[in-house]
Amino acid sequence: MSQQTFETYEEFWPYYVAMHSRAATRWVHLTGTLTGLALSAYGLARGRKRYLAALPLIGYGTAWPAHFLIEKNNPATFGHPLWSLRGDAQMIRTMLAGRDAELAETAAKWLAEHGEDRTG
């Protein structure tokens, strides 16, 4: 897939979700991000600032391989780093609210509109 361009985050959001069309990818993201957050918080509570590195290392260290191995795509972070960070937070909030099916629907719709069907 070629590099996508967007004028607003609202245009970017469905694309971001589509790049996470498989539930396994979304759950790997959630697990990596929450694990990194927990270790970072633990480190801060213990006065060990080097633990702050856990968030990007574990978060991206689990998320990026999920794109290559599960989705068979490149992370949206490569082309849209700030919107991807915001998208990750929004995706995780949506999942924690029990609305993962909504994300699957958004992904399927975007992929169908753009001539792709990878949601299987």
Side-chain angles (χ1 to χ4, degrees):
M1 177 179 294
S2 63
Q3 179 69 36
Q4 298 286 319
T5 57
F6 306 95
E7 296 294 321
T8 66
Y9 174 77
E10 290 69 26
E11 289 178 18
F12 172 77
W13 169 245
Y15 164 79
Y16 180 83
V17 175
M19 297 302 99
H20 301 82
S21 66
R22 293 182 169 86
T25 305
R26 294 189 299 273
W27 285 97
V28 167
H29 274 59
L30 179 132
T31 302
T33 299
L34 294 183
T35 300
L37 272 172
L39 284 172
S40 293
Y42 170 81
L44 282 176
R46 298 288 185 185
R48 298 178 180 148
K49 292 182 182 179
R50 69 179 179 270
Y51 277 57
L52 288 174
L55 181 55
L57 289 176
I58 295 172
Y60 288 125
T62 56
W64 287 355
H67 281 281
F68 304 130
L69 301 172
I70 299 169
E71 290 289 337
K72 310 287 190 233
N73 66 16
N74 287 323
T77 305
F78 292 174
H80 308 280
L82 296 178
W83 281 350
S84 292
L85 185 60
R86 182 177 170 187
D88 202 36
Q90 184 175 349
M91 182 174 70
I92 289 170
R93 280 193 311 272
T94 303
M95 293 172 72
L96 291 175
R99 297 175 19 226
D100 190 53
E102 177 183 313
L103 295 170
E105 290 172 16
T106 299
K109 180 180 177 194
W110 192 93
L111 291 168
E113 289 173 357
H114 293 84
E116 291 195 40
D117 181 18
R118 327 184 271 121
T119 58

